Amino acid sequence: MKQFFLVVFFVLMCTVSLAAQDINGVELYDELTHAEVLEMFGEPTEYEEYDGQDEGVSRWYYYGENYLHFRDDVLEEFAIFDSSYTTLEEYFERGLRVGDPFSRLDGFKHGRVEWIDIFPDSCSYRLYVGMSDNYLTLEVSDGIIVSISSFILC
């Protein structure tokens, strides 16, 4: 019985913690058919589909450099490299976008920001929202967010 409650707790924590990771309001682990993706995001510049048999069908939608990855119609990851898309609309007025100043995160009260690494012309940060171990990776150059990507531990 104790194991059952631990499993339920783990699933609930993963579900609650994923809610903060979204692209244009579509949250990680939301389920969208191919038609719904096209309706919400438009026709991709490139599309790939791979049937991994037991691992499910992966669909990759590329919109310029940006991409969405679905497995069996479930959004598993995304990466944003231009200002076409938003994330964290629940926490930031007009959402957080590539091109925003990194200073928009000053005083962020819904999580924490951690420095990851420094590169010749940019730095990477992890943005944790709430109590989650899941995070968004932000790449910042000259004080401006230049990319946003999802990462999930669950």
Side-chain angles (χ1 to χ4, degrees):
M1 189 60 128
K2 183 177 178 181
Q3 286 179 325
F4 171 77
F5 287 114
L6 287 174
V7 169
V8 169
F9 175 77
F10 178 75
V11 169
L12 286 174
M13 286 304 294
C14 287
T15 303
V16 168
S17 65
L18 294 173
Q21 295 187 29
D22 72 287
I23 179 168
N24 284 17
V26 177
E27 296 175 358
L28 288 177
Y29 287 107
D30 277 358
E31 191 170 329
L32 295 176
T33 65
H34 178 72
E36 290 170 326
V37 172
L38 297 180
E39 182 180 320
M40 294 187 77
F41 293 96
E43 194 68 36
T45 53
E46 188 178 340
Y47 171 77
E48 296 176 5
E49 186 172 305
Y50 172 74
D51 187 350
Q53 305 298 323
D54 295 337
E55 294 180 17
V57 176
S58 284
R59 292 183 289 128
W60 295 84
Y61 298 86
Y62 296 92
Y63 297 89
E65 292 184 78
N66 309 304
Y67 71 83
L68 308 170
H69 173 228
F70 288 80
R71 185 180 317 274
D72 293 330
D73 293 335
V74 175
L75 179 61
E76 286 199 343
E77 100 184 87
F78 63 83
I80 308 169
F81 298 97
D82 64 33
S83 62
S84 301
Y85 304 98
T86 62
T87 188
L88 301 177
E89 292 175 335
E90 181 178 338
Y91 301 100
F92 294 94
E93 185 177 332
R94 299 178 326 279
L96 190 65
R97 291 180 181 269
V98 167
D100 283 349
F102 187 65
S103 61
R104 281 197 75 197
L105 296 170
D106 291 350
F108 184 63
K109 294 178 175 44
H110 304 284
R112 67 189 190 282
V113 178
E114 292 181 0
W115 174 77
I116 304 172
D117 207 350
I118 190 165
F119 304 102
D121 55 355
S122 66
C123 293
S124 289
Y125 297 87
R126 288 182 181 153
L127 174 59
Y128 296 89
V129 179
M131 303 295 289
S132 174
D133 285 334
N134 301 319
Y135 55 85
L136 292 173
T137 300
L138 308 176
E139 186 176 345
V140 178
S141 181
D142 294 327
I144 303 297
I145 299 170
V146 295
S147 72
I148 303 170
S149 56
S150 60
F151 186 84
I152 301 180
L153 293 176
C154 294

